[in-house]
Amino acid sequence: MVAGNVWYLYSLYNSIKQQTLLTVRECVRRADILEIISRMKGTSLGDDDSFIILSLKIEGEKSPTGEYDYPNLLDNVNQTMSLYFHFVEEINKDMPKQNDEMLDRMFRKELNNVGLYPTTAFIRRITDESVKCEGLWSVDFALGSDQEPVYRACFTPLNGHILQQMAGIIITSAMILILMGFLIWYLLNQVGKLRTIEQMKDDFTHNMTHELKTPVAVAYSAADSMLRYYDQSNEERNKQFLKIILQRLSFLSGMIENILSMSMERFKSMKLNIERVELRPLVEEIVGMIELKADKPMAITIDIPDGMTVMTDSLHFGNVISNLIDNAIKYSGESVNITVKADGDSIEISDDGIGIDKENLPYIFDKFYRVAEGDRYEVGGYGLGLFYVKQILELQGWDIEVESKRGKGTKFTIKLRK
């Protein structure tokens, strides 16, 4: 379509150019006639300055119905006038010679009368091929359609005039092209988003499959062991297997609850149970549970003033702190140091883990988003933890910020609003 539009504009430009050159040619004809008339004054044919008697003979064409038709009447009249005045010039021996300066002046005046304003414009009689129009446009003028050119008119290129005639179409075409470009950009942008969403959906499916298989496999193995090697006398062993099954089922239940809680409609209708909560005991309880299940050496430092309280939902806010500390442990090396620090304005959770690349930081709170880190299943999770954190804090009316440097660690700062 773009190529077709360009071709149309090119064709239109050539068409208007040809029409303009025809107009210039008629200006040459009128200038030529006016120059001859000016020289007739003072001669036997030009004694009266107010009147010029002119006889015209226009030949018509007979139609099949017997009527006469005069096609291109004005062109025929103009050609007849040119031929007549040049004939008068030839037979009138007392007429002065052609005034080139006047002819040029008449030519420029006629151009101006039709709205053409070239910087340079002149007419030269063609006596040989020596007339050159270097860097200028030119038209050759003949008295009649079947005669050789008499004059060559040279003038400054009229591209500005032609483009002005095309202005409306050029602006319309440009707007269409801009609109098309925007639509193509928007389409590609939407396709890119759809591909991202599709990739996120695949990642979520794969991650969830991995997360579900592990607790199911553990529970299945414990139940299978009890069935195959059941020993009624070994009550401690049986309780241990039942405890494992219960833990895994509890883990699955919690995972399902987290997935359900990611529903935006559920977040919109969720009501937080806001109460005054003492922060340090809450964090110490969460840290104690995390340390029990930790699978790597770690040190968690709690720097929270005794007696500091916040108005929040203890259950969901506890999940927020647990998610942030759990991520710090997951995304670290062989060991990790974590600091939980709080004052009256904010709560900071920082670590010395592997950090997050700068290009990933704007997306870590998006639903299902996970930072690619080698094998995608090496670290458990399904890309909902930080999304949950963000939503709960927004419901609370709080903000969260993140700073991270690759290989140095990450710091999450929860901004507390009174």
Side-chain angles (χ1 to χ4, degrees), residues 218-275:
V218 173
Y220 176 83
S221 298
D224 184 64
S225 296
M226 287 191 66
L227 287 174
R228 289 176 178 270
Y229 311 105
Y230 180 72
D231 185 355
Q232 188 173 2
S233 62
N234 193 345
E235 185 175 352
E236 183 178 353
R237 176 177 175 273
N238 295 335
K239 285 184 177 180
Q240 182 66 24
F241 280 131
L242 289 173
K243 184 179 180 180
I244 292 173
I245 294 172
L246 183 61
Q247 287 177 340
R248 295 300 93 187
L249 292 178
S250 176
F251 178 81
L252 283 174
S253 178
M255 184 184 298
I256 293 171
E257 181 63 25
N258 279 339
I259 294 172
L260 291 176
S261 69
M262 292 305 107
S263 167
M264 292 304 295
E265 293 301 323
R266 181 159 180 170
F267 269 120
K268 290 177 183 177
S269 61
M270 181 185 294
K271 299 296 183 182
L272 297 179
N273 182 26
I274 303 297
E275 57 185 354

Side-chain angles (χ1 to χ4, degrees), residues 122-164:
F122 57 87
I123 298 174
R124 293 293 179 266
R125 182 178 289 272
I126 300 177
T127 54
D128 50 37
E129 293 299 323
S130 62
V131 181
K132 303 294 182 181
C133 300
E134 297 293 342
L136 303 175
W137 285 5
S138 66
V139 295
D140 290 346
F141 171 74
L143 299 179
S145 57
D146 56 347
Q147 296 188 8
E148 293 296 322
V150 177
Y151 296 117
R152 176 168 294 165
C154 302
F155 49 95
T156 306
L158 300 172
N159 290 313
H161 171 78
I162 297 174
L163 293 177
Q164 184 178 2

Side-chain angles (χ1 to χ4, degrees), residues 192-208 363-370 376 382-384 387:
K193 287 183 179 180
L194 289 175
R195 288 180 178 174
T196 301
I197 293 172
E198 183 71 18
Q199 184 63 46
M200 290 169 62
K201 184 199 74 173
D202 291 342
D203 289 346
F204 172 73
T205 303
H206 294 154
N207 293 332
M208 281 303 303
Y363 310 106
I364 60 174
F365 295 107
D366 290 352
K367 201 173 186 178
F368 305 136
Y369 186 84
R370 293 188 67 209
R376 70 173 69 179
Y382 33 89
L384 296 175
F387 175 78

Side-chain angles (χ1 to χ4, degrees), residues 1-6 9 169-184:
M1 183 175 180
V2 175
N5 197 39
V6 171
L9 291 176
I169 296 177
I170 291 175
I171 293 174
T172 303
S173 299
M175 292 178 64
I176 292 174
L177 290 176
I178 292 172
L179 179 60
M180 286 180 58
F182 172 76
L183 291 176
I184 291 173

Side-chain angles (χ1 to χ4, degrees), residues 317 320-321 323-325 327 345-349 361-362 364-366 385-403 410-417:
F317 186 67
V320 167
I321 299 297
N323 266 299
L324 294 175
I325 296 177
N327 278 348
D345 298 320
S346 63
I347 301 172
E348 296 180 0
I349 299 175
L361 286 177
I364 60 174
F365 295 107
D366 290 352
L386 290 179
F387 175 78
Y388 172 82
V389 167
K390 181 75 170 178
Q391 299 302 316
I392 292 298
L393 292 178
E394 285 184 351
L395 284 175
Q396 179 78 52
W398 295 347
D399 294 328
I400 184 169
E401 299 175 353
V402 57
E403 300 175 23
T410 303
K411 179 174 73 173
F412 287 92
T413 303
I414 300 173
K415 300 289 187 178
L416 304 177
R417 293 182 181 175

